[in-house]
Amino acid sequence: MTTDPNRPDMSDEEIDLICHGLTQNAAKVRHLRRLGLRVDRRPNGRPLVARIEWARLYGPAATSTPPAASNGPRWKTPVGAR
């Protein structure tokens, strides 16, 4: 199976892979909604999921840079130290 990242919605093959074992379209819609996705229906009843919706929940997490280490003075002292 090949995925087209330029396609705005997920293909039927991708949906079937996520909903492995489910054959009815209504069951697939319920399953995808339980996963937390916003799901519409195509005119033929199959689930319609936007690719960005899948990436929002299951895509790579946004990477944030850790705060820079400070080499400045430490103004707080341990309790009891003089």
Side-chain angles (χ1 to χ4, degrees):
M1 177 185 76
T2 60
T3 60
D4 182 11
N6 296 324
R7 185 177 170 160
D9 60 330
M10 297 181 73
S11 67
D12 289 341
E13 293 81 22
E14 291 173 306
I15 297 290
D16 290 341
L17 195 69
I18 296 167
C19 301
H20 181 73
L22 299 175
T23 56
Q24 295 181 355
N25 291 328
K28 292 178 184 181
V29 169
R30 281 193 307 270
H31 176 69
L32 293 168
R33 286 183 178 157
R34 278 191 215 120
L35 292 176
L37 297 167
R38 292 182 213 143
V39 181
D40 290 327
R41 297 188 98 162
R42 297 179 190 270
N44 63 358
R46 292 197 49 96
L48 175 64
V49 178
R51 187 168 303 280
I52 196 162
E53 182 67 17
W54 177 261
R56 177 181 65 90
L57 290 178
Y58 298 103
T63 58
S64 62
T65 57
S70 173
N71 290 331
R74 294 181 58 199
W75 297 107
K76 292 185 178 181
T77 58
V79 176
R82 291 188 175 186

